[in-house]
Amino acid sequence: MDDEETELRNPFPSPPSHYQRYTTHNLKLLDLLRQRAGEDADLSTLNQYEVLSDQTDVPEWPLAQLEKPRVDWILEEGHYTVFGDTWFVKEKIPSLEELGGHQLYPQDPSVDRRPALRSILRSMLVTYSKLLDAILAPPPTNSSQIEAEWKQHLEWINILAQNIMAAANDLRPVQARGNLELMMRRQLELRREETKAIHTKCDALEAQLAELRISAQTLVSATPAATTSKRAGGHMSSKVEPPDVSGMSTDAVLRWAEEVA
């Protein structure tokens, strides 16, 4: 029995040994037993040898063990056991009282627990001081039947520490929710800062593009005057027609300005 319990608690346990009983023959015997006994009958109280007297290879162990688990019982109890571990139907953090401990703070999470936790902390400090005094006291004689005082203080400190740890574990969801809220706020602030920096950069680029457009328009307007002066001086030059800047992109205007220059 101890070996089977150890096997069930292994990280990767083998299937329970009774899985070998789920043979086709045994399952047929179970169906036949249920038909003859009736749907509402308790199979565990029946004598399966008498009911199945006309059948062969009736096992010595009760066929009722092959019945499926009662889901209604699991829902009523609120937990079930798999490979030696107990699992709750609805996931929850069990309280210290449910785990068999001595709970010193309120069970209801809506009640303010801070006064109880302060009392537990003060009690722990006082008990620790008494523990030091008990350790420094002379040891009892061999004939004394009284339990050592330091043991009592140590047990009480253990109970107080369990209460503080259990109360802290109950606050884990609240702490996780608070950390998630802070992370989301920080991400929102970073996105706002990045968006502001992008807008600032776009404004600077638009200002530079506006300056380039103005420079290109000034260069275009100065080109006809230079052509007229060259003709007046007797030099022949081809007339350069200014392009329509309004319909051109910035890159096209810059290329045209470089060619004219």
Side-chain angles (χ1 to χ4, degrees):
M1 189 65 183
D2 295 338
D3 295 339
E4 184 177 355
E5 186 70 18
T6 304
E7 175 64 23
L8 288 177
R9 296 189 178 278
N10 286 336
F12 301 98
S14 302
S17 57
H18 61 268
Y19 82 95
Q20 300 175 355
R21 299 178 178 179
Y22 288 86
T23 61
T24 305
H25 177 71
N26 291 338
L27 293 177
K28 289 181 179 179
L29 291 178
L30 177 63
D31 293 337
L32 183 60
L33 179 63
R34 189 184 297 110
Q35 292 175 5
R36 294 181 178 181
E39 294 294 336
D40 299 333
D42 188 2
L43 300 183
S44 60
T45 60
L46 295 177
N47 188 345
Q48 61 186 19
Y49 297 103
E50 294 180 359
V51 180
L52 302 175
S53 59
D54 57 337
Q55 301 296 321
T56 59
D57 296 334
V58 178
E60 298 179 356
W61 43 268
L63 288 171
Q65 295 180 359
L66 302 180
E67 286 282 342
K68 295 181 180 179
R70 292 287 300 272
V71 179
D72 53 341
W73 292 354
I74 294 176
L75 296 177
E76 182 179 354
E77 295 178 357
H79 60 84
Y80 57 95
T81 303
V82 177
F83 293 129
D85 294 330
T86 301
W87 300 86
F88 291 94
V89 177
K90 294 183 179 180
E91 294 186 2
K92 66 174 183 178
I93 300 176
S95 63
L96 182 59
E97 185 176 358
E98 293 175 350
L99 294 176
H102 185 190
Q103 186 167 333
L104 301 176
Y105 56 89
Q107 178 73 20
D108 189 1
S110 60
V111 179
D112 190 4
R113 298 179 178 178
R114 288 176 292 182
L117 293 178
R118 292 193 188 99
S119 300
I120 293 173
L121 182 59
R122 286 194 294 267
S123 180
M124 178 174 287
L125 294 176
V126 173
T127 308
Y128 183 75
S129 177
K130 293 181 179 180
L131 176 63
L132 295 179
D133 294 338
I135 293 175
L136 296 176
T141 60
N142 295 331
S143 61
S144 177
Q145 301 295 331
I146 302 176
E147 185 180 3
E149 184 180 357
W150 64 269
K151 291 184 178 180
Q152 300 177 1
H153 296 323
L154 194 61
E155 292 177 359
W156 184 238
I157 289 177
N158 188 20
I159 294 175
L160 296 175
Q162 289 178 358
N163 278 267
I164 292 179
M165 294 176 62
N169 289 333
D170 291 343
L171 295 176
R172 296 298 183 188
V174 180
Q175 181 185 13
R177 191 181 302 110
N179 291 338
L180 180 60
E181 183 178 354
L182 291 177
M183 291 173 58
M184 295 179 66
R185 287 184 179 179
R186 180 56 183 165
Q187 291 179 1
L188 184 60
E189 292 177 358
L190 290 175
R191 292 184 180 182
R192 287 177 177 175
E193 292 176 359
E194 293 175 355
T195 304
K196 184 178 180 181
I198 291 174
H199 285 311
T200 303
K201 190 65 176 179
C202 290
D203 294 340
L205 292 175
E206 289 179 357
Q208 292 179 1
L209 291 175
E211 293 178 358
L212 290 175
R213 288 193 181 95
I214 294 173
S215 300
Q217 291 177 357
T218 303
L219 184 60
V220 169
S221 60
T223 302
T227 305
T228 305
S229 61
K230 287 182 180 180
R231 287 180 178 180
H235 298 282
M236 298 298 294
S237 63
S238 61
K239 182 178 180 181
V240 179
E241 295 293 337
D244 185 6
V245 181
S246 60
M248 298 177 61
S249 63
T250 304
D251 295 337
V253 172
L254 293 176
R255 287 196 300 269
W256 179 84
E258 291 177 357
E259 292 175 359
V260 172

